[in-house]
Structure formats: structure tokens, C-alpha cells
Amino acid sequence: MLTDEVKKSIEESVLCWLATADSSGEPNCSPKEVFTHHDSNTLLIAHIASPESVKNIQSNAKVCVSFVHVLKQKGFKLKGHATYIDASESHYPELYKLIQPVAYGFPVKGIIQVKITRVSPILAPSYYLLPGTTEESQIASARQAYGI
């Protein structure tokens, strides 16, 4: 599921968005700054300040995670089933070793482990609506739009 292309995109992204829903279906979507891939089917997200996400996952494991490279304007949407691993659980240290290098000193209360069931690409409309759009032209356009 998590091909080399998807893993590279995860590594290049500075934020991902985790969508959850509670047991009644009420949605929640929140940004996550600390995340990484674990193996070809697993995404790990640090619980730093995510009480609503954790609460929702404990009653409804279905989640969607998206990430988009801000300049390339492309990324991926991952759907799957999440479990929450609290810092007190026996297998937390093993997973924390994978999150720690990208935690930037944030205190990690636990880890949201997402077992991926589906991967879909995300592309800005310009890639398929404006003839001749390439990754390079999209980056140049984004740099101009953002003044960087």
C-alpha cells in the first residue's frame, strides 16, 4: 500500500490532516505535525494535543489521513483503521523509536497507529485542467503565489 512514492511524499510533507468521526458520526479533522510511515501498511501519528481524535478513534476506528506537499500541490489520501497506543502500553517504546526522530522535542502522549486499507493520489486541479502543467511549473507557480 505505502509505495516508495507514498513514503517519500509522507517524508516531504510538514502536516497531515487526520479525519475521524465519533460513534454518532460527528466528524472531526485536525492537523498533525508529527507522523511517519512504519512499514508498507502502517502510518504512525503522534498524540501531542489530539484529545478529540483519540476519543473518536476509541469509539470509531475508521479514519482518513491526507497530506499534500505545499509547493508541488500533490500528495495522498490514506484510509484505514486506527488504534491508539498509550505511552503506558508495553509496545509503545518500540513505536516511539520511529516517531521520536520527527517529534522535534514535543511531548508525545501516545501514538495513533493507522493500518492502511486504501491509498489515493491527491492532485491540484491544474495538473489535469491546465495543459502543460508539470511538477516544476506547479512549484514555480506556488513560489510566486506565496512570495517565496
Side-chain angles (χ1 to χ4, degrees), residues 19-117:
T20 62
D22 66 17
S23 58
S24 69
E26 183 70 25
N28 181 65
C29 187
S30 62
K32 307 299 177 206
E33 190 173 354
V34 179
F35 56 97
T36 190
H37 51 85
H38 175 31
D39 54 33
S40 62
N41 295 310
T42 310
L43 183 72
L44 303 175
I45 303 171
H47 167 31
I48 296 167
S50 308
E52 191 75 20
S53 297
V54 169
K55 184 176 119 190
N56 286 352
I57 287 165
Q58 290 172 333
S59 64
N60 182 353
K62 292 181 181 179
V63 299
C64 181
V65 181
S66 64
F67 47 92
V68 175
H69 188 286
V70 69
L71 298 177
K72 293 178 183 178
Q73 307 254 325
K74 60 168 55 172
F76 290 91
K77 174 171 59 175
L78 312 176
K79 290 188 178 184
H81 295 89
T83 54
Y84 177 65
I85 294 93
D86 187 78
S88 65
E89 294 185 45
S90 62
H91 58 294
Y92 173 85
E94 176 189 333
L95 297 176
Y96 179 74
K97 284 183 205 175
L98 300 168
I99 282 283
Q100 192 275 331
V102 295
Y104 314 113
F106 286 112
V108 178
K109 299 174 186 176
I111 296 171
I112 297 165
Q113 180 177 276
V114 181
K115 293 295 185 180
I116 307 303
T117 58

